[in-house]
Amino acid sequence: MFKPYYRPRRLRRNENIRRMVRETTLSINDLIMPLFVVEGKGVCNPINSMPGNNQYSIDRLVEEVKELHKLNIPAVILFGVPEKKDALGSDATSNNGLIQRTVKAIKDAVPDMYVITDVCFCEYTDHGHCGRVVDNDVHNDMTLELLAKQVITHAKAGADMVAPSGMMDGMVGAIREALDGEGYENIPIMSYAAKYASAFYGPFRDAAESAPKFGDRRSYQMDPANAREAMYEVDLDIKEGADIIMIKPALAYLDIIRRVKDKINLPVAAYNVSGEFAIVKAAARFGWIDEKRVAMEILTSIKRAGADLILTYFAKDAAKWLSE
Ligand code: PBG
């Protein structure tokens, strides 16, 4: 019988030694909680495909933010679902728009919460695309003008960070220039640098009521088959002035997270998206998996792949689990 000389199991014998040699530790400090806001008062509409998540009116959302703050979650990212949508997504660029009022309300009530705004148009346009549509396609440079307008309203409202997600060419440069031009040179940009045209966004599009009314997003979001192209996108965003680079989705793209992490010297964020969350919730509801263990394993794997920050609908639960 072969008798092993090398025995890695020695360092797995009990929890103390496992703790000591553990290579990756998930922390509350890594977590960003996405929140959806709608018009009205006292509104808390459960999002069916994302159990535990709701569309909140501003007053209720502020209450939720207070809870997240008590749990020591450092940041939220906001998505607005306005009542009125139009071709240009006007609510998104109005100083009195839904998101702008939400940011102000949070900053008044919970000034210590770090508020990130998603910078995009798909939730605000009647056609559901991420910018201005001309001839059935999103016009890149006209959309940059709108993005530049949008970020200034977010900055004025008090946003701590902006996160452009529309995958327009030059979006980071256009936003940086706009912010700097108005004296907001200290507001960082977290760019959705490599964002894939993914079926994992399904539940989000219900939550944000943002599914495109015609076509799809493949003329601006990336082909899931491409990795080298992600490196190009990341390079461009860094050159244009991004402060944090995001990869999205996370789970089917752990290789991209790792490649980017090995290559760049900026913090890397990963978006554990709605579909990734819904799959876990659904299987747990059937009793097929242990939700807490699977969720923590997933979040740890995203961190292990190289993400410094994780945007996740599990943030609130994970914060509780981490402090148990
Ligand atoms: C676009 C945006 C999307 C998500 C975040 N920002 C949707 C899309 O591109 O269709 C998806 C997030 C998720 O699925 O959790 N503003």
Side-chain angles (χ1 to χ4, degrees), residues 74-315:
V76 294
I77 183 163
L78 302 177
F79 297 95
V81 190
E83 231 151 46
K84 286 201 194 93
K85 306 189 182 214
D86 58 29
L88 293 182
S90 313
D91 194 81
T93 50
S94 156
N95 280 316
N96 200 30
L98 178 57
I99 275 296
Q100 292 78 356
R101 281 178 280 127
T102 307
V103 172
K104 270 183 218 141
I106 296 175
K107 281 290 161 186
D108 283 348
V110 198
D112 280 348
M113 180 58 83
Y114 197 85
V115 177
I116 306 170
T117 54
D118 183 76
V119 177
C120 194
F121 290 97
C122 59
E123 301 110 70
Y124 302 89
T125 50
D126 49 14
H127 46 69
H129 277 286
C130 300
R132 181 161 179 182
V133 170
V134 179
D135 293 337
N136 282 332
D137 193 19
V138 178
H139 192 289
N140 196 85
D141 298 10
M142 284 179 177
T143 301
L144 295 185
E145 280 173 38
L146 292 177
L147 287 169
K149 252 175 101 176
Q150 187 182 23
V151 284
I152 298 304
T153 65
H154 291 184
K156 275 197 182 131
D160 293 293
M161 178 186 278
V162 294
S165 66
M167 288 299 282
M168 294 300 118
D169 295 337
M171 67 182 184
V172 173
I175 285 172
R176 186 71 272 157
E177 186 183 278
L179 288 172
D180 291 0
E182 296 283 328
Y184 295 111
E185 49 277 286
N186 290 325
I187 294 192
I189 300 173
M190 174 163 67
S191 178
Y192 290 66
K195 175 174 176 183
Y196 288 87
S198 171
F200 284 98
Y201 306 149
F204 174 96
R205 290 182 188 173
D206 292 337
E209 299 165 17
S210 65
K213 296 287 180 306
F214 65 88
D216 54 41
R217 303 208 203 291
R218 281 182 285 191
S219 77
Y220 40 105
Q221 298 180 349
M222 281 183 54
D223 183 337
N226 292 358
R228 190 185 54 210
E229 187 189 359
M231 303 310 292
Y232 181 46
E233 284 281 5
V234 168
D235 270 353
L236 293 176
D237 284 5
I238 293 176
K239 278 189 195 129
E240 289 175 26
D243 299 278
I244 298 178
I245 290 296
M246 194 204 298
I247 312 299
K248 178 182 173 194
L251 275 190
Y253 301 87
L254 293 176
D255 59 324
I256 310 296
I257 296 173
R258 172 45 59 193
R259 260 170 98 150
V260 169
K261 176 68 168 192
D262 285 343
K263 185 80 191 300
I264 73 172
N265 295 314
L266 289 178
V268 175
Y271 202 138
N272 175 218
V273 300
S274 57
E276 299 171 336
F277 175 82
I279 287 170
V280 175
K281 285 284 179 184
R285 191 169 277 184
F286 277 110
W288 291 345
I289 58 169
D290 176 330
E291 178 184 341
K292 173 180 165 185
R293 287 192 54 201
V294 168
M296 293 304 267
E297 186 173 332
I298 285 175
L299 295 176
T300 303
S301 75
I302 295 170
K303 185 111 196 259
R304 192 196 62 235
D308 300 288
L309 301 169
I310 306 173
L311 297 91
T312 177
Y313 304 96
F314 282 118

Side-chain angles (χ1 to χ4, degrees), residues 34-38 42-44 54-68 76-80 99 101-103 105-106 109-110 115:
L35 294 173
F36 299 95
V37 59
V38 292
V43 182
C44 172
N54 307 289
Q55 293 178 327
Y56 294 108
S57 53
I58 294 177
D59 55 329
R60 294 293 297 270
L61 186 129
V62 166
E63 294 311 306
E64 178 67 11
V65 171
K66 284 181 188 162
E67 270 187 48
L68 298 173
V76 294
I77 183 163
L78 302 177
F79 297 95
I99 275 296
R101 281 178 280 127
T102 307
V103 172
I106 296 175
V110 198
V115 177

